[in-house]
């Protein structure tokens, strides 16, 4: 059973026909030749397939392509390229936030989601309960970054560099007028 | 994965009718559990009715001061909503302690309630499981029991419900709003899920085709200081071994006037610890009283050989969370790592 769908992938509208069983990850990789998102566990546990779906980070292996019909998808390839890398991609390079690189596109997309979520004031499990209840805006400390990035595994163990990279990008990303957010 | 038809639902009653008329149809929301089960072969619907485009994605204040959270509100949105954070921070905490950022962005309020157990045998087609295949037997009875029940299990099933959110909702006296093809009704979240008994294949009291459209939280002043605590094998992105949601109200004389306690990771449903609640009423709200409340609940515990370690975790979760709540109610800041003794 098939479905005709349209996706806007990294800014480009794409029309395709998929078996309804096709995940967004397989649609991107196998139908649209966008191999930035990687297939790791294929069960939502490793985060290597992370993309931004309508601006929110999700694991594309658990989203059916048919259910994403009409949506805007941003992969790591759409965040930036070698000539003009996204600040997060640049920070990953500068902090050695990778070794083999397989999880990196997912890490970078997830981190992009983390920055947007923090800018929107979203709390995390690392946010102190009283700050949570008072509605204070979060500050991306290392503890906050570790918690918010826990959906992305790195088997090379480049976590120290990843936390440093996300922290650098977060400080550059924070709106200047916020005065430190607190 | 079996082939299936995909439909986008146009209205709630129509979606309910579509699923009710086909025993092999299923609702699709965020898909974070359903799509995974379909990949594993645990669930094999021939039709998916996608409900995510139905207008059930708002958080609204109720006239009596409560809150209505639409079934399609994503877990991350519910956790971050200002009214949830200030009036029911225990619900934000529970939501934020579950899954990962990516999964919370997809998973919905209704879907979180209706996610199924992660019992390793339920998810493994090569092993007997009464929940997946009634009558085939329970592999966990003589197998891996770390994530299994210590309250309310049966000889047929010892699985636990994996939700953190549902534990907070049970403590908050929340109700699920349920639509079938003809009408709408309300079911307390604490009675939505069943104990396994002789029919572990049925997780909830819902009929096939019943659609959860929203969750309603009653006004509850003590909820503003309620807290959630989760004990797990990793610091993040892991299911609960044991968790506790607790709320407490103190009388003028400092004794406990009212209390709500619910436990996660210990039963086939979010477990309202009513024996602990009863033991607390009128008590002086000391560490000793919190320990006595925990003991009252633990009198009903029936651990398996592989999960007796959960009993001290239940005791610690109840006493520590109540201690934190009591500090907040008395206006003292509760540090995250304070002890659980007399204060």
């Amino acid at each position: 059973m098939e479905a005709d769908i349209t996706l806007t992938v990294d800014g480009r509208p794409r029309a395709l026909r998929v078996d309804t069983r096709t995940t967004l990850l397989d649609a991107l990789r196998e139908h649209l030749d966008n191999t930035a998102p990687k297939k790791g566990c294929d069960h939502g546990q490793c985060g290597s397939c992370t993309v931004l779906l309508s601006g929110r980070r999700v694991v594309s292996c658990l989203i059916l392509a048919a259910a994403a019909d009409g949506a805007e998808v941003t992969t790591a390839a759409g965040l930036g390229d070698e000539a003009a890398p996204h600040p997060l991609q640049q920070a990953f390079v500068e902090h050695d936030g990778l070794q083999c690189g397989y999880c990196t596109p997912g890490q970078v997309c997830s981190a992009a989601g983390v920055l947007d979520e923090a800018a929107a004031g979203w709390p995390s499990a690392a946010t102190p309960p009283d700050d949570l209840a008072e509605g204070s805006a979060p500050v991306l400390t290392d503890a906050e970054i570790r918690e918010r990035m826990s959906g992305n595994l790195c088997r090379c163990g480049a976590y120290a560099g990843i936390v440093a990279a996300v922290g650098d990008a977060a400080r550059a990303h924070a709106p200047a007028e916020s005065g430190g957010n607190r | 994965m079996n082939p299936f038809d995909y439909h986008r639902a146009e209205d709630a009653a129509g979606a309910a009718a579509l699923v009710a008329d086909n025993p092999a149809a299923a609702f699709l929301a965020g898909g974070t559990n359903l799509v995974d089960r379909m990949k594993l072969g645990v669930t094999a619907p021939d039709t998916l009715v996608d409900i995510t485009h139905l207008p059930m994605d708002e958080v609204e204040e109720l006239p009596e001061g409560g809150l209505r959270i639409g079934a399609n509100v994503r877990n991350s949105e519910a956790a971050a909503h200002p009214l949830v954070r200030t009036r029911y921070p225990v619900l934000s905490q529970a939501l934020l302690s579950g899954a990962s950022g990516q999964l919370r962005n997809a998973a919905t309020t209704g879907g979180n309630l209706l996610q199924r157990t992660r019992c390793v045998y339920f998810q493994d087609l090569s092993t007997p499981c009464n929940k997946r295949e009634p009558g085939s037997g329970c592999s966990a009875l003589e197998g891996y029991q770390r994530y299994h029940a210590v309250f309310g299990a049966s000889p047929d099933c010892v699985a636990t419900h994996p939700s953190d959110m549902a534990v907070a909702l049970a403590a908050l006296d929340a109700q699920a709003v349920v639509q079938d093809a003809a009408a709408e009704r309300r079911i307390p979240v604490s009675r939505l899920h069943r104990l396994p008994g002789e029919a572990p294949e049925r997780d909830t009291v819902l009929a096939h085709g019943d659609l959860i459209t929203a969750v309603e939280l009653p006004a509850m002043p003590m909820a503003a200081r309620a807290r959630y605590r989760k004990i797990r094998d990793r610091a993040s992105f892991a299911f609960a071994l044991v968790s506790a949601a607790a709320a407490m109200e103190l009388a003028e004389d400092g004794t406990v006037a009212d209390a709500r306690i619910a436990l996660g990771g210990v039963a086939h449903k979010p477990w309202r610890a009513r024996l602990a609640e009863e033991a607390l009423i009128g008590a002086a709200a000391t560490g000793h009283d919190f320990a006595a409340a925990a003991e009252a609940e633990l009198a009903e515990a029936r651990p398996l050989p592989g999960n007796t370690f959960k009993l001290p975790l239940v005791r610690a979760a109840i006493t520590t969370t109540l201690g934190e709540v009591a500090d907040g109610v008395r206006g003292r800041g509760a540090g995250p790592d304070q002890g659980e003794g007399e204060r």
Side-chain angles (χ1 to χ4, degrees):
Chain A
M1 299 165 198
E2 296 185 320
D4 290 308
I5 64 169
T6 308
L7 299 170
T8 302
V9 180
D10 295 337
R12 188 171 152 210
R14 309 288 294 266
L16 63 162
R17 174 169 293 182
V18 293
D19 185 301
T20 52
R21 292 172 288 186
T22 310
T23 61
L24 176 58
L25 174 61
D26 286 337
L28 290 167
R29 290 182 59 87
E30 309 298 336
H31 292 253
L32 300 177
D33 293 329
N34 185 329
T35 54
K38 299 294 187 280
K39 185 177 284 192
C41 69
D42 210 25
H43 289 282
Q45 299 174 3
C46 77
S48 63
C49 67
T50 303
V51 300
L52 301 173
L53 180 66
S54 304
R56 300 262 175 91
R57 56 178 173 148
V58 297
V59 282
S60 58
C61 71
L62 293 183
I63 307 274
L64 293 172
D69 181 24
E72 195 168 305
V73 181
T74 303
T75 72
L79 283 178
D81 58 23
E82 217 170 325
H86 185 278
L88 274 161
Q89 292 168 325
Q90 187 64 41
F92 268 65
V93 171
E94 286 168 8
H95 288 278
D96 272 341
L98 66 149
Q99 185 174 313
C100 83
Y102 193 81
C103 71
T104 313
Q107 298 274 3
V108 169
C109 283
S110 189
V114 166
L115 300 191
D116 289 344
E117 290 162 13
W122 287 14
S124 85
T127 306
D130 291 340
D131 289 5
L132 178 76
E134 285 162 18
S136 316
V139 176
L140 289 182
T141 59
D142 285 359
E144 283 276 5
I145 292 168
R146 286 191 193 100
E147 164 59 28
R148 290 168 190 258
M149 292 292 291
S150 70
N152 292 83
L153 305 187
C154 169
R155 286 186 66 181
C156 300
Y159 294 114
I162 292 170
V163 171
V166 178
D168 256 15
R171 283 182 286 278
H173 185 84
E177 67 273 20
S178 72
N181 274 342
R182 314 280 299 255
Chain B
M1 201 186 289
N2 283 0
F4 58 86
D5 278 323
Y6 169 87
H7 296 281
R8 274 192 184 178
E10 309 263 319
D11 66 282
L18 205 53
V19 171
D21 286 347
N22 176 359
F27 296 115
L28 173 69
T32 56
N33 182 221
L34 176 61
V35 173
D36 193 29
R37 289 201 315 273
M38 289 166 67
K39 289 183 179 192
L40 293 168
V42 173
T43 306
D46 70 11
T47 302
L48 288 187
V49 178
D50 184 347
I51 57 165
T52 55
H53 297 269
L54 296 179
M56 311 188 295
D57 55 357
E58 300 285 328
V59 177
E60 302 161 278
E61 292 194 77
L62 294 172
E64 305 83 17
L67 212 56
R68 178 186 171 97
I69 303 174
N72 282 342
V73 175
R74 309 289 167 164
N75 288 176
S76 54
E77 293 171 341
H81 195 281
L83 291 176
V84 176
R85 288 177 67 168
T86 51
R87 292 186 194 172
Y88 309 96
V90 63
L91 177 56
S92 290
Q93 283 187 300
L95 283 161
L96 292 168
S97 76
S100 66
Q102 292 97 313
L103 293 172
R104 291 192 295 271
N105 275 342
T108 65
T109 309
N112 186 315
L113 281 174
L114 297 182
Q115 65 179 309
R116 307 204 65 190
T117 186
R118 299 313 198 283
C119 172
V120 289
Y121 304 107
F122 175 70
Q123 298 202 111
D124 179 353
L125 295 189
S126 70
T127 60
C129 169
N130 287 322
K131 183 181 279 297
R132 177 167 34 77
E133 198 181 331
S136 63
C138 172
S139 302
L141 286 180
E142 294 183 17
Y144 183 69
Q145 300 170 334
R146 187 168 181 79
Y147 285 89
H148 293 75
V150 297
F151 290 108
S154 79
D156 289 331
C157 182
V158 294
T160 51
H161 193 260
S163 172
D164 293 291
M165 180 195 79
V167 177
L169 291 179
L172 293 169
D173 292 336
Q175 299 204 88
V177 183
V178 179
Q179 172 83 51
D180 65 20
E184 185 179 273
R185 66 189 194 278
R186 281 167 175 74
I187 302 172
V189 170
S190 60
R191 293 208 291 271
L192 175 68
H193 300 90
R194 300 173 63 254
L195 289 177
E198 293 179 354
E201 70 277 12
R202 290 183 56 218
D203 290 354
T204 70
V205 300
L206 298 179
H208 182 70
D210 281 349
L211 176 66
I212 295 177
T213 57
V215 164
E216 290 181 348
L217 298 164
M220 185 188 281
M222 67 177 165
R225 294 194 179 279
R227 290 290 183 265
Y228 189 72
R229 184 168 288 254
K230 180 173 180 177
I231 302 170
R232 45 183 159 174
D233 279 327
R234 297 190 296 238
S236 184
F237 199 9
F239 289 101
L241 292 166
V242 172
S243 69
M248 196 162 45
E249 189 177 304
L250 299 183
E252 293 276 314
D253 64 359
T255 60
V256 178
D258 202 0
R260 297 283 185 287
I261 303 171
L263 302 173
V266 296
H268 198 255
K269 58 186 291 186
W271 187 261
R272 254 304 273 276
R274 296 186 192 275
L275 295 173
E277 291 176 5
E278 285 165 22
L280 271 181
I281 303 300
T286 64
H288 177 78
D289 296 309
F290 302 154
E295 292 312 319
E297 196 64 39
L298 283 167
E300 292 295 305
R302 301 289 180 271
L304 301 160
N307 68 13
T308 52
F309 73 94
K310 283 193 174 183
L311 303 190
L313 296 188
V314 167
R315 194 175 294 121
I318 290 177
T319 55
T320 311
T321 312
L322 285 172
E324 190 182 349
V325 172
D327 279 346
V329 171
R330 292 177 184 132
R332 285 184 242 150
D337 296 310
Q338 287 185 11
E340 58 190 76
E342 303 266 345
R343 291 157 201 266

